[in-house]
Amino acid sequence: MQDSAPAEPTSERLRKIRIAAAAEAEKHTRLVRTERAGRIVSAAMLPWFRVRAPDGYGVITTTGRKTGKKRQKCVRVIRRDNRAYLVQLVPPHLAITRPAAASGWLLNIRADPHVRIRLPDGTFDGTAREITDPTERAIARTILCETVTPMDYGECVLHLRGRPSRAKVQELHRYWFDTGNPLVIEVAP
């Protein structure tokens, strides 16, 4: 992850991300604590998600900003009509030291917003953008954080200690939304 952003977050937002991450860090399992661990989990899921992504998940294909090659990443994504909502996550241990960190796939989107998203109901071309409008952020937060799919319980086990519950999954998703980088993909019908 790198610390580049189109519009630098305010120092107040970065401070809030650090505080939230510090409070959350000890709740997380030892399995997914680093960006490397996240990449490994994603790489392990990718072959399965290419065949058929479970509800609430998909595979996003971006164009490499340096190489021009197609890059794929498993993501949690919720589609509503012609919009697909997702969040680029910043793990708590990374958010404490680098709250403005951005993953490679987000940097690729910033360089070229044209993406392809494979969802359970098909593959769609679209244009991705970070959500900055407060009203749109509130809508996206509700959609992403209140929607819980069966796969989310397994995701919760990977990230948090203890037994997963609907409330725990929603709490995890709210944390990710509030400390991550929310995006929307306008998909072609």
Side-chain angles (χ1 to χ4, degrees), residues 79 82 124-125 187-189:
R79 182 173 172 214
N82 65 341
F124 306 90
D125 290 319
V187 295

Side-chain angles (χ1 to χ4, degrees), residues 166-177:
R166 181 178 181 82
K168 201 171 183 180
V169 167
Q170 290 173 319
E171 178 185 336
L172 178 63
H173 291 165
R174 283 190 290 271
Y175 166 76
W176 283 343
F177 189 91

Side-chain angles (χ1 to χ4, degrees), residues 42 45-54 57-62 71-77 86 115-120 122-124 185:
S42 181
M45 295 184 318
L46 189 58
W48 302 103
F49 281 27
R50 281 183 184 143
V51 173
R52 179 163 185 339
Y57 291 81
V59 176
I60 189 169
T61 303
T62 62
R71 303 291 186 197
Q72 293 185 322
K73 178 75 173 168
C74 294
V75 292
R76 181 175 186 275
V77 58
L86 62 154
V115 299
R116 176 166 280 186
I117 186 84
R118 177 152 174 40
L119 301 171
T123 301
F124 306 90
I185 301 171

